Amino acid sequence: MRLTWRILALLVTGWAVQAGAQVPVRQPDQQLTGTITRADYQRYRAVPFTVPRGTERLVVAFDYDQRAQKTVIDLGVEDQHGLRGSSGGNKADFTIAESDATPSYLPGRIEPGRWRLVLAVPNIRPGITARWTARIWYLRAAEAELAASPLADRGPGWYRGDLHLHSAHSDGTCPSQSGKRVPCPVFKTLETAAERGLDFVAITDHNTTSAQAAIREAQPYFDRLLLIPGREITTFFGHFNIFGVSAPIDYRITPNGPVSFNAIADRVHALGGIVSINHPALPSGEPCMGCGWAMPGADLARVDAIEVVNGGAALLPGGVEGPLSGMAFWLKTLRAQRPVTAIGGSDNHDGAQTAPIAGSVGRPTTVVWADGLTQRAVLAGLRAGRVFIDIGGMTESMLDLRASNGRTTAAMGSILPAAAGDPLTAHMTVHAMPGARLDLMAGDAVITSVAIDDARDVDLPIDRHERPLLVRAVVRAPDGKVILMSNAVTISGPDKMDR
């Protein structure tokens, strides 16, 4: 009789573990311990614990000893209404929330009260006593506390991602096996992102958290691609993405109604996420309902980022510098001295599209300097604004900008105070195609332009005196089209502090 690989693995090791939840870095809220003996062989044991009111995400990490003696303890959990999941011996930890759960477990509301761990003992030898431990976290600001990365730590560096992607959970479609247009599975988008060499993505389906379960399932497989929970909040008055949040949020904004942009932004920030306005200059109407930004009462101080380059809008007249791009809206916000990060997003609706065209996965790419490839680090990098946009999605591209006043240096995304007469210099690191040109710009105006041969460091004087002065860099292909754009260093009067 042939044995399957799974049965053979159990015979050889007595235990198999697959990746499950992200376990918080802080100490657990509760720890349960116990022992299993031969008296528990082929029995079920229920271990009660009490979930406090206000819990939005439950995380359990389970461990035990005596595996070398072929001891096996299978894991499950039940709430007041019955079994919420059973992972057997294939997962050492799990999470359950309203939006998603570790595969083997059912998402849904976390009701306060008595829950039970369900421990099954398919094997324990006579004379063996096995000790088990269950660490439990009751999370409120759930996303902010799930800080441990499921990926290998790669340390500080530049990370490339796509922050605007749609799937079958809203209006994403792709060809089926027989060539029909069908709702496109999340997996296809992730597969394409991995093939493009991206480091992180956010699936941002319209007004729904349902994709988070698919993302939770996919993350262990895509162990070089960070999957950040996202959503496109789609309203009658504009669209905006939220990143790092999977909790349900009411999106039904109406003038003077109970739901507002400001309230949503506050909720997202409380959960550790960020807010980004999408394609603000697109027209609203039948071709694109609610696409342009006309949000009543919106406080732009609550906005962390603006989608300056949208993959679909980049194909419209004027491209990334045209009237339908987000460039003018972003610069206007910066002139009000509100630090806000320029980002890009493909707005892809066909995850299987592999042609290197605007709007396919990773075109454009948002490239962020982060302390590591973790959700917390990437979101912090986006907030800080040391970010450039790669319109063509070229994996070797680079555009870093810093500005100095003779005493201090500020990275892009920051404010540099400068007194009258301070010698201002822009320091740039550029890697682009042969024949490209680098434009150092002050707002919409070009200060100076130089040729770029492959990769180089460039220092250029800044000879403008208006305040605030929005210094930024743009790299153009030989045909004049923008292929890279930096965030800005805002040079202000000497009373302003750095971002």
Side-chain angles (χ1 to χ4, degrees), residues 189-434:
T189 298
L190 303 182
E191 201 170 50
T192 302
E195 291 170 356
R196 291 273 166 90
L198 297 183
D199 301 303
F200 65 89
V201 295
I203 302 296
T204 55
D205 283 306
H206 299 280
N207 296 334
T208 179
T209 62
S210 62
Q212 302 310 322
I215 291 169
R216 178 75 57 188
E217 179 181 12
Q219 182 66 91
Y221 178 83
F222 291 96
D223 56 4
R224 292 195 296 267
L225 179 67
L226 178 65
L227 311 183
I228 298 174
R231 207 170 324 159
E232 184 167 19
I233 305 297
T234 307
T235 80
F236 302 133
F237 313 102
H239 301 181
F240 57 100
N241 276 347
I242 60 176
F243 304 117
V245 173
S246 60
I249 289 177
D250 193 343
Y251 59 88
R252 294 169 292 179
I253 296 173
T254 56
N256 303 313
V259 180
S260 69
F261 169 81
N262 295 341
I264 293 175
D266 289 346
R267 171 68 171 155
V268 170
H269 291 146
L271 290 170
I274 65 175
V275 176
S276 174
I277 296 175
N278 292 344
H279 42 68
L282 287 184
S284 291
E286 290 184 359
C288 193
M289 293 172 286
C291 289
W293 189 254
M295 188 64 64
D299 177 10
L300 294 185
R302 288 174 161 93
V303 176
D304 304 289
I306 293 171
E307 188 183 68
V308 173
V309 182
N310 175 279
L315 297 173
L316 298 174
V320 301
E321 295 180 297
L324 298 181
S325 80
M327 183 75 69
F329 187 90
W330 171 61
L331 291 174
K332 180 180 179 181
T333 305
L334 284 181
R335 288 189 183 102
Q337 300 194 52
R338 288 172 171 154
V340 62
T341 303
I343 63 172
S346 69
D347 204 354
N348 176 262
H349 286 70
D350 181 350
Q353 170 62 260
T354 57
I357 59 174
S360 62
V361 175
R363 285 168 171 78
T365 299
T366 297
V367 190
V368 56
W369 177 270
D371 288 337
L373 189 55
T374 68
Q375 177 175 303
R376 179 172 292 178
V378 170
L379 295 185
L382 290 168
R383 288 189 198 96
R386 193 176 176 193
V387 172
F388 72 90
I389 304 171
D390 178 356
I391 285 84
M394 306 301 292
T395 57
E396 300 300 320
S397 65
M398 171 59 60
L399 179 58
D400 196 9
L401 166 67
R402 302 162 303 284
S404 65
N405 60 12
R407 299 178 304 280
T408 60
T409 299
M412 56 184 174
S414 300
I415 298 175
L416 177 69
D422 281 348
L424 300 177
T425 305
H427 310 280
M428 290 156 287
T429 300
V430 188
H431 188 183
M433 65 176 64

Side-chain angles (χ1 to χ4, degrees), residues 417-484:
D422 281 348
L424 300 177
T425 305
H427 310 280
M428 290 156 287
T429 300
V430 188
H431 188 183
M433 65 176 64
R437 295 193 66 82
L438 169 68
D439 289 347
L440 178 64
M441 305 188 71
D444 294 319
V446 177
I447 298 176
T448 188
S449 182
V450 296
I452 298 297
D453 296 319
D454 192 28
R456 60 180 290 196
D457 291 328
V458 181
D459 289 350
L460 295 174
I462 303 169
D463 58 1
R464 301 298 178 94
H465 303 290
E466 66 265 23
R467 297 292 185 270
L469 182 64
L470 308 179
V471 177
R472 60 190 185 92
V474 167
V475 176
R476 300 181 184 278
D479 63 3
K481 292 182 179 178
V482 176
I483 54 175
L484 303 172

